[in-house]
Amino acid sequence: MVNETSVSLTTPVMATYGRFPVTLVKGKGSYVWDDQGNQYLDFTSGIATCNLGHVPNPVKEKLEEQLQNLWHCSNLYNIPNQQKLAALLTENSCGNQVFFCNSGAEANEAAIKLARRYANKVKGNRSSEIVTFQQSFHGRTLGTLAATGQEKIQHGFAPLMPGFSYFPYNDEAALEQLSSLKPAAVLLELVQGEGGVIPASKEWVTKLAQICKENDILLMVDEIQTGIGRTGTLFAYEQYSIEPDVISIAKGLGSGFPIGAIIAKEEAAKGFEPGSHGSTFGGNPLATAAGLATVTHIIESNLLGDVKETVDYLDQQLHALKEKYSFIKDVRGKGLLKGLVVEINALEIVQKAITNQLLILTAGPNVVRILPPLTVTKEEINEFTNKLEKTFQSIEKGV
């Protein structure tokens, strides 16, 4: 997230971020501490990354164990944690094969490459066009920013990589063009996170999936932000009664440790073969130890069963705030990926919340993005509500 009003400091770190004036040095559960000892309630989760909260014990223990043995080896050798994590992901999804990388952008890059190579090598030189959607966000590599349907993300990086078409989101009529275009694949988010916390309608997704199936178009779902329990199920696609051909994941997969992956159905996975794609660090012993511990804990602890009640309670609190403050126009999102649509500057709310020791995010100029960990308690939601209301009151008073 960019804070364009922050003051630039003299630093050897490249100025790609507008940073808030906070230096975080410690975290546990739903809280972080800065270098001055101040405690903050963190409802960003590292942008939907620390789904089990900060430094979760089940993951910490497995990382400490792996640190004593082997940190890294190349993918020229078998990696036991990688095999176990791949098995766990395929057993709990509609996919059959997994490729590991280091980030969400790399996962979407892999999905794009897989779709193109599948079209050329498996289907025999058919169209390599990929359809994405307006206001989408798929990453910042040259390939994924070309896939992203936002001019502000693409600005200054021309010429963009060709081969992408941008359809309007949640528009059923526009989908009729897919049958004649017959692209290699469609890539979409089921909740547009950075684009404004906009959920896809189930009817629209059902029609999209049907058209893709009838026209032999790969359906690829970007679950970078929605996956690993964020929306209340392990993957958001489960709530839409569809089976994607390719799923991209990252963020919550490693509880803050860098790891990403694509999960593909067996047919789509035929697009890759030895030498067609790779990663030096992707799926190394440390990263997959974090991923394996994270996903295992989510599944075996029945955490997602508890999340449903938590989501309902957070919804109640957010709608109560909407009734109280006229500048809140809507509450939207899925699970613990929430957006408050406001008539005032969302960045002002985020900045003012920091002074109340609350960390939240924006999703565009008029949406406040709220991302507590899946482990959040009702008491912490009450604390969040009080801090956010205090923030709103200070803004209304002009303090």
Side-chain angles (χ1 to χ4, degrees):
M1 187 187 70
V2 177
N3 170 16
E4 296 175 350
T5 64
S6 65
V7 178
S8 297
L9 302 176
T10 302
T11 170
V13 177
M14 197 169 288
T16 54
Y17 304 99
R19 301 180 192 269
F20 296 109
V22 178
T23 301
L24 301 178
V25 296
K26 179 184 174 183
K28 191 64 180 176
S30 299
Y31 296 92
V32 289
W33 288 261
D34 67 17
D35 57 349
Q36 305 301 309
N38 299 307
Q39 177 181 291
Y40 300 81
L41 180 62
D42 183 7
F43 267 43
T44 74
S45 298
I47 312 184
T49 295
C50 302
N51 284 6
L52 297 180
H54 291 279
V55 197
N57 290 335
V59 182
K60 178 185 176 184
E61 290 166 6
K62 292 299 182 181
L63 279 173
E64 288 176 341
E65 181 182 314
Q66 188 63 48
L67 281 167
Q68 303 305 314
N69 296 313
L70 182 66
W71 296 11
H72 175 76
C73 68
S74 81
N75 280 294
L76 296 175
Y77 311 100
N78 291 318
I79 300 172
N81 284 341
Q82 189 179 112
Q83 297 290 335
K84 293 175 185 176
L85 179 54
L88 190 61
L89 290 170
T90 54
E91 287 165 6
N92 290 278
S93 73
C94 62
N96 309 102
Q97 300 276 298
V98 180
F99 172 82
F100 289 106
C101 52
N102 309 289
S103 68
E106 288 177 76
N108 282 333
E109 193 84 27
I112 291 165
K113 288 183 68 176
L114 179 62
R116 285 190 169 185
R117 203 169 191 280
Y118 177 81
N120 290 321
K121 294 294 184 179
V122 179
K123 290 299 182 180
N125 297 317
R126 63 174 288 174
S127 170
S128 60
E129 189 84 2
I130 295 175
V131 168
T132 65
F133 295 91
Q134 294 166 9
Q135 290 303 116
S136 61
F137 180 81
H138 298 295
R140 294 184 184 275
T141 64
L142 283 173
T144 56
L145 72 84
T148 292
Q150 296 188 58
E151 289 185 8
K152 69 176 184 179
I153 304 296
Q154 300 169 340
H155 181 71
F157 296 106
L160 296 178
M161 189 174 85
F164 295 95
S165 296
Y166 313 105
F167 279 32
Y169 193 68
N170 275 333
D171 185 330
E172 288 192 36
L175 296 180
E176 301 297 342
Q177 302 173 51
L178 285 174
S179 299
S180 56
L181 183 62
K182 283 188 168 56
V186 171
L187 174 63
L188 79 153
E189 302 159 278
L190 292 171
V191 180
Q192 290 189 329
E194 198 277 344
V197 193
I198 306 170
S201 78
K202 190 166 185 177
E203 295 76 16
W204 179 73
V205 172
T206 299
K207 182 172 183 177
L208 172 59
Q210 181 181 354
I211 292 172
C212 286
K213 186 175 182 179
E214 291 172 350
N215 292 275
D216 198 17
I217 300 166
L218 291 182
L219 179 60
M220 307 197 300
V221 174
D222 177 346
E223 294 249 20
I224 305 303
Q225 190 160 174
T226 57
I228 319 300
R230 174 55 53 184
T231 64
T233 49
L234 192 62
F235 301 103
Y237 80 80
E238 298 173 65
Q239 300 174 44
Y240 287 84
S241 302
I242 61 169
E243 289 195 357
D245 298 293
V246 181
I247 308 157
S248 53
I249 55 176
K251 286 191 180 293
L253 181 56
S255 291
F257 203 96
I259 181 172
I262 57 169
I263 309 169
K265 285 192 171 183
E266 186 174 4
E267 175 63 20
K270 291 178 182 177
F272 281 165
E273 58 188 7
S276 59
H277 194 47
S279 171
T280 296
F281 295 107
N284 77 11
L286 269 179
T288 47
L292 182 58
T294 299
V295 179
T296 297
H297 181 73
I298 288 174
I299 293 171
E300 293 185 354
S301 68
N302 192 37
L303 179 60
L304 296 181
D306 298 333
V307 163
K308 290 180 175 62
E309 186 177 345
T310 306
V311 169
D312 289 343
Y313 189 69
L314 178 60
D315 279 342
Q316 292 171 15
Q317 298 300 305
L318 293 176
H319 280 93
L321 288 173
K322 178 178 177 292
E323 292 301 313
K324 192 169 184 178
Y325 295 93
S326 61
F327 58 78
I328 302 176
K329 294 303 174 185
D330 196 12
V331 178
R332 63 192 185 200
K334 273 190 177 294
L336 293 177
L337 168 52
K338 295 297 184 189
L340 288 182
V341 182
V342 295
E343 284 189 323
I344 60 179
N345 188 340
L347 181 58
E348 181 184 358
I349 295 173
V350 171
Q351 291 171 323
K352 186 67 71 172
I354 292 175
T355 66
N356 292 312
Q357 295 175 284
L358 171 65
L359 304 183
I360 48 179
L361 298 167
T362 63
N366 299 110
V367 179
V368 176
R369 187 168 22 163
I370 299 159
L371 298 161
L374 307 184
T375 53
V376 69
T377 65
K378 287 185 177 180
E379 291 73 22
E380 289 166 346
I381 291 174
N382 289 338
E383 182 183 351
F384 156 77
T385 304
N386 291 335
K387 288 178 179 291
L388 189 58
E389 186 158 18
K390 185 177 178 182
T391 299
F392 290 160
Q393 290 170 353
S394 63
I395 289 174
E396 283 189 330
K397 294 175 182 177
V399 179

